[in-house]
Amino acid sequence: MKTIHKFRLEPGKEPTTLTLKEGYRVVRSEYIVPHKAVYLWVEQPLNVTTPTLERQFRVAYSGEPVPDSFEYLDTALDPFGPEAYHVFAIPAGEEELFNTAPDGASNDAFSRQNWQHTAIS
């Protein structure tokens, strides 16, 4: 059996980390106006023995550069505004690019603990 869960993604330079079941598949993204947020729907197996893995996703605005290795997944549009939000998957193995700030710099407002995944349904 399988199911589809909904996850909130945060736009910005920091990626959102999701814990997903091996064999997952992204099926949709959408900008939800009342929440003013981008959501990602992910199909994944229901079998409890299926291993989990952490994957990172990045939401970029139109015109904002992202590394060539990022995999484009979908675009979520704000139907009442000019914004388009482009969802990218960060390839496994490149997550460490976001784990430390260069030259000891810190940005507490965007610390990784503030970007935990939440399954909505």
Side-chain angles (χ1 to χ4, degrees), residues 34-110:
H35 298 182
K36 296 184 179 182
V38 175
Y39 285 84
L40 190 69
W41 281 261
V42 180
E43 177 187 88
Q44 42 188 351
L46 275 175
N47 189 334
V48 295
T49 62
T50 304
T52 60
L53 37 100
E54 286 193 348
R55 289 294 180 254
Q56 291 186 328
F57 299 88
R58 165 98 191 282
V59 177
Y61 297 102
S62 292
E64 183 179 2
V66 297
D68 290 335
S69 61
F70 284 21
E71 178 189 356
Y72 170 80
L73 298 175
D74 202 2
T75 295
L77 301 173
D78 179 348
F80 299 109
E83 293 298 335
Y85 304 91
H86 308 289
V87 180
F88 292 87
I90 299 174
E94 291 193 24
E95 297 94 347
E96 65 273 359
L97 297 174
F98 300 97
N99 289 339
T100 58
D103 301 321
S106 173
N107 189 347
D108 293 337
F110 294 104

